[in-house]
Amino acid sequence: QVQLVESGGGAVQPGGSLTLSCTASGIIFRANAEYTWNWYRQALGRERELVATSADYGVTNYATSVKGRFTISRDSAKNTVYLQMNSLIPEDTAVYLCNLETKLSTIERQYKYDYWGQGTQVTVSL
């Protein structure tokens, strides 16, 4: 059973920083597969929003609202993805969820798998 466990959330004042981590267990990252880590967030009363993406070959993408403030990184040896959040603002308050997308391509077909963490609360306020 693949499980993603998140940590690092908490309460911080505007302008502060937090680092989130998400560790996957029950999975071995294979060289012949493609892996994409994503961080989503969902604020109370709002729809889930894609915040940052880390794909193979060092490709990263960020939502406009966090570009320049957040940094996504991953350590495959530790099966872990991180989200470094700087210059936090109240609008960043949300439950943050990590997501792992896997894709294995063969000459016959393509296999896709999708895993989610449980979420960790980030609160930015005075």
Side-chain angles (χ1 to χ4, degrees), residues 27-125:
I27 187 173
I28 298 177
F29 290 85
R30 304 183 184 277
N32 62 341
E34 298 179 17
Y35 301 93
T36 300
W37 283 101
N38 303 295
W39 283 100
Y40 289 82
R41 67 185 181 187
Q42 186 165 17
L44 189 63
R46 295 187 177 184
E47 295 185 354
R48 189 166 57 191
E49 173 190 19
L50 177 61
V51 175
T53 294
S54 175
D56 288 339
Y57 311 108
V59 177
T60 60
N61 285 288
Y62 299 91
T64 301
S65 59
V66 307
K67 187 177 181 180
R69 300 189 296 118
F70 290 11
T71 302
I72 187 172
S73 61
R74 59 180 177 176
D75 186 340
S76 295
K78 298 180 179 180
N79 296 353
T80 299
V81 65
Y82 304 92
L83 185 66
Q84 176 67 49
M85 305 183 293
N86 299 321
S87 302
L88 286 162
I89 59 177
E91 289 73 19
D92 296 321
T93 297
V95 173
Y96 284 72
L97 304 104
C98 64
N99 162 250
L100 176 62
E101 299 175 345
T102 69
K103 182 173 70 176
L104 175 62
S105 297
T106 69
I107 60 174
E108 297 178 332
R109 63 176 294 176
Q110 185 179 84
Y111 303 86
K112 293 183 178 180
Y113 303 91
D114 194 20
Y115 308 101
W116 290 88
Q118 82 284 358
T120 184
Q121 177 70 47
V122 172
T123 302
V124 184
S125 67

Side-chain angles (χ1 to χ4, degrees), residues 4-23:
L4 274 57
V5 179
E6 303 174 30
S7 63
V12 65
Q13 296 182 174
S17 299
L18 284 173
T19 300
L20 307 181
S21 65
C22 177
T23 299

